[in-house]
Amino acid sequence: MHIIHSAPAAAVADWREQLRTVISDGASLLRELDLHPEQVGLSEAACRDFPLKVPRAFVRRMRRGDPQDPLLRQVLASAGELAQAPGFGPDPTGEVGGANPRAGIIHKYRGRLLLVVASGCAVNCRYCFRRHFPYADNRNSRREWQQALDYVREDSSISEVILSGGDPLVAEDDHLAALCADIAAIAHVKRLRIHSRLPIVLPDRVTPALLDALNPPGLQSVMVVHCNHANELDDAVAQAFRRIRERDMTLLNQAVLLAGVNDSEDALAELSEALFERGALPYYLHLLDRVQGAAHFEVDEQRAQRLHAAITARLPGYLVPRLVREIAGEPAKSGIPPLPPLA
Ligand SMILES: *Cc1c(COP(=O)(O)O)cnc(C)c1O
Ligand code: SF4
């Protein structure tokens, strides 16, 4: 009997151990990849603002010796981050002001409310729109959780609660289980959505205990993962997707359009195909939020429209993500209208 019970415990210890032993300095990362700092523009100064952080499971999918690797580019603290660019600021999506009515809540859109469940992530994506978010003011104790849940209880127009962060899946299973059970007990909430990059960057996080926590009776659960390039999808991720789908969860992906990572017709088409092969549907393709330090990732809107038109012409409709931009104060994410593809 003891042997049976020790198996899930070992798996849980493993994801925590992987989270504790993420790579957090550029020199070690580059050593793993047989690269030199000057080949990639590594910047220690950029790390001081927003530390370098990447799980080894993600590093293993990077190509050795390739300074242009699309996965490396997403996590490497580079000198480009120090440039000041006009129009790029600390809070491009307007989350710090009026949309943040109580600690840990972002209520911007009708019927949906976002809970900031955890302050950290397993990976620090250099283009992240929350790299300057005041997480310290949004770290909730259990008592504050009840106040956030009271807000949901009091507003019967809220039919969907979105767990976000940071990355909500860095929280412990028992915490998530208690929170999800409390949400399931609110009659007007029908759906629970989880926005997480962990199934991609640290797929061992997707344990049976986690999936139990995220699927309380009475709620439909939707998992929205964040993958930007087909190379991010290895066998371990495919297995994590399978475990999610075995619970009848809807599995969607959001990606960010990033210069030097996925800003080509082929990269975007291959991403959609690779996601679908593993059971996930593309949902959103975000234009970059204009966050300070990320200007070197920007793809201008007209090119974005043309790339989107090109994949629309090439793929079945269900494999074409919606091209959107977040505009502070707008009632929903704003769709970007298509342009004709370049001949
Ligand atoms: C994206 C987002 C949502 C969800 O929007 P959908 O269009 O339903 O995907 C909700 N709240 C916030 C703050 C968001 O940024
Ligand atoms: S996982 Fe998501 S929230 Fe965390 S740094 Fe990356 S993009 Fe930002």
Side-chain angles (χ1 to χ4, degrees), residues 32-315:
E32 297 270 330
L33 297 171
D34 300 324
L35 287 168
H36 298 290
E38 58 276 15
Q39 281 177 284
V40 293
L42 175 70
S43 165
E44 295 299 335
C47 295
R48 275 195 294 277
D49 278 356
F50 185 53
L52 186 147
K53 184 174 186 182
V54 55
R56 289 167 197 279
F58 194 68
V59 175
R60 280 197 289 274
R61 296 167 227 162
M62 296 175 185
R63 289 186 295 250
R64 298 284 167 287
D66 180 359
Q68 309 297 336
D69 180 81
L71 280 56
L72 173 64
R73 218 178 129 73
Q74 294 179 56
V75 302
L76 185 85
S78 73
E81 296 178 24
L82 304 172
Q84 294 287 328
F88 283 72
D91 178 29
T93 56
E95 292 197 342
V96 182
N100 200 196
R102 289 186 195 180
I105 292 182
I106 300 170
H107 192 187
K108 279 194 351 192
Y109 299 149
R110 194 162 77 192
R112 289 146 292 166
L113 175 134
L114 197 147
L115 289 181
V116 179
V117 173
S119 54
C121 291
V123 60
N124 281 344
C125 310
R126 305 315 298 181
Y127 49 84
C128 182
F129 72 112
R130 293 204 175 112
R131 56 184 290 163
H132 307 287
F133 192 74
Y135 284 120
D137 304 335
N138 279 276
R139 204 168 295 145
N140 277 352
S141 67
R142 281 279 162 106
R143 191 174 60 80
E144 286 167 327
W145 272 120
Q146 287 311 318
Q147 290 170 1
L149 288 168
D150 282 344
Y151 183 95
V152 182
R153 288 184 190 104
E154 285 157 18
D155 186 345
S156 61
S157 74
I158 298 169
S159 56
E160 178 165 344
V161 173
I162 302 170
L163 307 186
S164 183
D167 197 306
L169 299 190
V170 302
E172 293 290 337
D173 292 341
D174 58 348
H175 179 59
L176 289 167
L179 179 64
C180 295
D182 283 349
I183 293 167
I186 302 171
H188 54 264
V189 178
K190 307 287 180 221
R191 289 182 302 279
L192 176 69
R193 197 195 313 181
I194 301 100
H195 278 199
S196 176
R197 192 143 159 69
L198 272 165
I200 306 295
V201 300
L202 213 160
D204 290 343
R205 175 64 185 104
V206 183
T207 61
L210 174 72
L211 293 170
D212 288 344
L214 301 180
N215 286 282
L219 280 182
Q220 274 189 298
S221 295
V222 179
M223 177 74 80
V224 184
V225 299
H226 169 185
C227 173
N228 299 317
H229 193 281
N231 291 3
E232 293 173 44
L233 299 167
D234 67 358
D235 283 347
V237 175
Q239 285 167 29
F241 282 10
R242 210 168 298 133
R243 295 193 290 276
I244 292 166
R245 301 244 303 151
E246 277 167 3
R247 303 296 179 111
D248 288 329
M249 293 175 83
T250 299
L251 180 57
L252 305 173
N253 183 62
Q254 55 179 340
V256 185
L257 184 60
L258 297 166
V261 173
N262 58 9
D263 61 333
S264 72
E265 179 188 332
D266 284 347
L268 293 172
E270 282 160 19
L271 173 60
S272 278
E273 300 266 9
L275 285 164
F276 188 72
E277 270 172 42
R278 294 161 181 81
L281 283 171
Y283 179 36
Y284 279 141
L285 179 62
H286 294 266
L287 294 189
L288 184 76
D289 293 313
R290 294 190 151 158
V291 65
Q292 201 175 302
H296 55 297
F297 283 114
E298 180 156 72
V299 176
D300 73 59
E301 190 164 307
Q302 205 177 53
R303 250 194 93 227
Q305 287 169 299
R306 296 208 186 274
L307 287 168
H308 192 252
I311 60 168
T312 303
R314 169 165 163 179
L315 295 171

